[in-house]
Amino acid sequence: MRYLPLTEPERGEMLAAIGVSSVDALFQDVPKAAWRDEPFDLPPHQGEIEVERALGRLSARNLTAGSVPSFLGAGAYRHHVPASVDSLIQRGEFLTSYTPYQPEVSQGTLQYLFEFQTQVALITGMDVANASMYDGASGTAEAVLMANRITRRKHAVLSGGLHPHYRETVATHARFAGFQVNAAPPDALGDESLAGLIDKDVSAVVVQNPDFFGRVRDYSALAEACHAAGALLVMVVTEVVSLGIVTPPGEMGADIVVCEGQSIGNALNFGGPYLGLFATRDKYVRQMPGRLCGQTLDADGRRGWVLTLSAREQHIRRDKATSNICTNSGLCALAFTIHMSLLGEAGFTRLAELNHAYTVQLANKLGRVPGVAVLNDSFFNEFTLRLPKPAAAIVDALAAQGVLAGVPVSRLYPAEPALADLLLVAATETTTEADIDEFAAKLQEALS
Amino acid sequence: MTETRYATSHEWIRIEGSSATVGITSYAAEQLGDVVYVELPDPGRDLVKGKEAAVVESVKAASEIYAPVSGKVTERNEALSEQPALVNEDAAGTGWFFKMTISDPAELADLLDQAAYDALVAEQH
């Protein structure tokens, strides 16, 4: 395919055809006050080698999670992704830029999406899962919209243990979709009680497990309270590896489950693209957003796959569709499916156990640093520390020494001075004992 | 005494005193093609004349079904959840959608009688 910009004669021909003297004349309606007279202050153009060198110098200033001891988490986790995942997702049979719109010709794509949905339903303990959403945060907003449709109510209650980015995403949707949000204050101590907030107007209660501060919670009683009041329980999981050992949301009575799936098969990727997992009960499937792949038999009785229940979707249902999302995170979902298949059920559980074991070590070592307290009574692979001084400055000091010491809560809750001393730290299977020792030693030094 | 009337959006309503049964016409069912799912309103829901009351999904499309008059839903046809094909097989009978009260009998005047509806369908052919 020719991919060349227009030539001057071609431009001249088009301008003549529409009767305009120059390209600038097309913009004559823009008020003169809005025009920029000065040229942009950019360096002169450079050759490829010079650009590579300049960008290389810039990127060397980054401290990447893979190159130093890293305890970053708070919704994005560095895990080991086997090299085979990257190799397989790049095979020509799989590599496509978009969700299928003439789907049945892409049987390979549909088959992996079907496997993906099956894996998501199994790990969440739910009946049915869709072919993925953009990420955990937008998936959570979609879950609230879905609960609003099912209950015909317009009032969501958000736990103070829900990730602040997720809370903000729901609030953004609420502002434009016209529903109420009651966001509980940050639940740093794990003592909030939401049951009293559920009345006949509440469509959904949204909680997270493990919660933002790392605690593993049992939401069975809250699920019962929701159902008694005609509301739905939405459970969010930001660290999907936890589902290898933590009781699945489906067993606790969740009606809709949303997970951030990045941890399996996907790198940190500077914050995206990520992968939203979305699962629900059979009875709610027609109100579920997103694409859904189904298994069937063709005219000759052979197994095949289709995109099904499409009448929920925007290209058929128009403004009455269950969602504006008519796509999925195809490539991220493929990486998830391949990684999960390589792990298998036992491998997934073992991965979760390893994460927890390293985190127990981390908690034991950090808890012995003078002045430092572990706030959690339970955790999976992340917990909250209370430091004797504001955490952000300590994190900066340790970064200067080559340790990524976790995420200060103030970074996500800048307007909450009471949380300034709190630090979220996570460990995964990539954490070593040497990493933990170095962190503990440098933390002690920085605090003394 | 019962009387059946029609909305121009192809719903029928069989009036029995102050209550009524609602469904879609066999002409509408034919136009939709094979019905695969019907979403019915819960009993107790208030319906407003001309506003959405139910949704019909066929292999071709999903369509809103509108309330022919205002009132409250009293019963829905549970058989349709298992056998949505009843809408195609017997639109005027076992394929009924829901029963409702009629809050304002004056609204009935806006609906078509059999002859007027037949004329409407003939016109659309």
Side-chain angles (χ1 to χ4, degrees):
Chain A
M1 184 176 83
R2 254 161 55 92
Y3 199 82
L4 299 172
L6 302 169
T7 62
E8 276 307 320
E10 282 170 334
R11 273 196 196 134
E13 225 174 288
M14 286 191 286
L15 290 170
I18 56 175
V20 178
S21 58
S22 69
V23 173
D24 279 351
L26 292 171
F27 298 99
Q28 62 175 1
D29 292 336
V30 176
K32 282 287 166 260
W35 285 68
R36 187 188 166 96
D37 296 325
E38 304 295 311
F40 285 96
D41 183 21
L42 293 170
H45 84 278
Q46 293 181 3
E48 198 169 308
I49 294 175
E50 287 78 14
V51 171
E52 262 181 31
R53 209 173 279 146
L55 292 178
R57 266 197 305 271
L58 273 180
S59 74
R61 291 166 60 187
N62 286 328
L63 196 59
T64 60
S67 60
V68 296
S70 169
F71 302 89
L72 297 173
Y77 301 88
R78 186 173 78 93
H79 289 281
H80 174 67
V81 179
S84 45
V85 171
D86 236 26
S87 168
L88 289 169
I89 63 172
Q90 291 183 61
R91 284 185 62 106
E93 297 92 326
F94 286 133
L95 200 62
T96 168
S97 56
Y98 212 53
T99 196
Y101 274 107
Q102 193 198 349
E104 281 70 39
V105 300
S106 314
Q107 285 293 309
T109 299
L110 294 187
Q111 181 172 2
Y112 90 68
L113 287 177
F114 186 77
E115 302 293 348
F116 168 82
Q117 292 171 181
T118 306
Q119 290 171 347
V120 172
L122 283 173
I123 61 173
T124 55
M126 301 299 280
D127 299 328
V128 58
N130 73 14
S132 75
M133 314 296 284
Y134 295 129
D135 56 28
S138 64
T140 302
E142 287 283 347
V144 172
L145 293 171
M146 175 174 161
N148 289 349
R149 288 192 296 273
I150 292 169
T151 60
R152 294 178 184 275
R153 300 175 180 180
K154 287 189 160 192
H155 189 144
V157 173
L158 310 184
S159 159
L162 179 62
H163 193 296
H165 288 169
Y166 290 46
R167 285 155 62 106
E168 285 167 23
T169 307
V170 174
T172 301
H173 277 257
R175 191 171 147 208
F176 296 102
F179 63 90
Q180 302 292 309
V181 170
N182 181 1
D187 184 29
L189 300 176
D191 51 8
E192 78 178 3
S193 170
L194 298 175
L197 301 175
I198 311 170
D199 61 28
K200 61 173 179 45
D201 296 322
V202 170
S203 59
V205 176
V206 186
V207 295
Q208 181 177 320
N209 198 36
D211 71 15
F212 176 66
F213 298 94
R215 279 176 303 261
V216 179
R217 318 279 295 252
D218 179 1
Y219 290 112
S220 310
L222 185 62
E224 279 172 32
C226 286
H227 298 157
L232 303 191
L233 180 66
V234 176
M235 266 181 74
V236 172
V237 178
T238 57
E239 170 50 297
V240 71
V241 172
S242 67
L243 294 175
I245 40 175
V246 172
T247 303
E251 273 182 42
M252 293 187 202
D255 299 286
I256 306 172
V257 180
V258 178
C259 312
E260 174 49 64
Q262 169 267 323
S263 285
I264 297 292
N266 290 273
L268 287 169
N269 287 345
F270 303 97
Y274 277 12
L275 171 67
L277 316 186
F278 196 105
T280 189
R281 306 279 178 197
D282 269 337
K283 61 180 169 180
Y284 299 135
V285 68
R286 280 172 193 275
Q287 292 299 336
M288 184 168 68
R291 317 220 78 193
L292 184 64
C293 185
Q295 183 175 286
T296 186
L297 297 177
D298 73 5
D300 300 324
R302 293 173 303 187
R303 187 163 76 141
W305 293 273
V306 295
L307 283 185
T308 190
L309 297 182
S310 299
R312 300 170 295 117
E313 294 188 80
Q314 196 173 231
H315 58 289
I316 294 180
R317 199 73 194 282
R318 305 283 171 160
D319 58 317
K320 298 284 178 59
T322 53
S323 168
N324 293 327
I325 292 180
C326 252
T327 185
N328 71 324
S329 294
L331 193 61
C332 298
L334 175 63
F336 179 101
T337 311
I338 292 172
H339 191 184
M340 193 62 106
S341 304
L342 291 170
L343 284 166
E345 199 175 332
F348 184 51
T349 300
R350 179 83 190 110
L351 176 66
E353 287 168 352
L354 262 180
N355 272 259
H356 186 58
Y358 280 121
T359 311
V360 169
Q361 277 192 33
L362 181 66
N364 287 340
K365 289 247 166 81
L366 296 181
R368 285 202 290 268
V369 174
V372 173
V374 174
L375 281 192
N376 297 52
D377 50 7
S378 65
F379 56 78
F380 168 60
N381 73 348
E382 184 166 29
F383 55 86
T384 305
L385 293 176
R386 187 186 293 284
L387 305 184
K389 49 175 83 167
I394 299 294
V395 167
D396 286 347
L398 265 67
Q401 299 179 53
V403 173
L404 292 170
V407 179
V409 172
S410 61
R411 173 135 187 202
L412 292 145
Y413 277 119
E416 300 275 352
L419 306 178
D421 294 350
L422 303 186
L423 177 63
L424 290 173
V425 291
T428 70
E429 75 285 355
T430 64
T431 309
T432 65
E433 283 193 57
D435 290 346
I436 294 174
D437 289 342
E438 189 180 342
F439 182 15
K442 287 186 167 158
L443 180 62
Q444 183 159 352
E445 208 180 291
L447 290 172
S448 62
Chain B
M1 143 164 186
T2 67
E3 187 194 352
T4 304
R5 287 187 164 257
Y6 301 87
T8 52
S9 47
H10 305 284
E11 293 86 8
W12 56 257
I13 178 166
R14 191 172 305 123
I15 305 141
E16 291 155 68
S18 63
S19 64
T21 307
V22 176
I24 63 170
T25 66
S26 53
Y27 171 75
E30 205 176 291
Q31 295 295 309
L32 283 168
D34 290 343
V35 171
V36 292
Y37 180 71
V38 185
E39 186 187 308
L40 295 170
D42 292 328
R45 188 169 140 202
D46 285 316
L47 301 179
V48 178
K49 175 178 187 285
K51 300 284 182 197
E52 184 189 318
V55 181
V56 180
E57 232 180 85
S58 73
V59 290
K60 286 200 284 192
S63 312
E64 279 74 44
I65 302 305
Y66 304 103
V69 294
S70 304
K72 197 185 274 293
V73 177
T74 53
E75 190 184 339
R76 56 184 193 178
N77 187 357
E78 301 293 349
L80 293 186
S81 62
E82 288 297 315
Q83 294 173 271
L86 289 175
V87 177
N88 296 104
E89 288 160 17
D90 188 13
T94 53
W96 61 276
F97 279 27
F98 55 86
K99 298 187 187 211
M100 66 185 295
T101 60
I102 298 172
S103 57
D104 180 7
E107 288 177 352
L108 292 168
D110 299 334
L111 299 171
L112 309 177
D113 62 16
Q114 184 75 52
Y117 181 70
D118 288 346
L120 177 79
V121 170
E123 212 172 276
Q124 292 190 352
H125 264 298

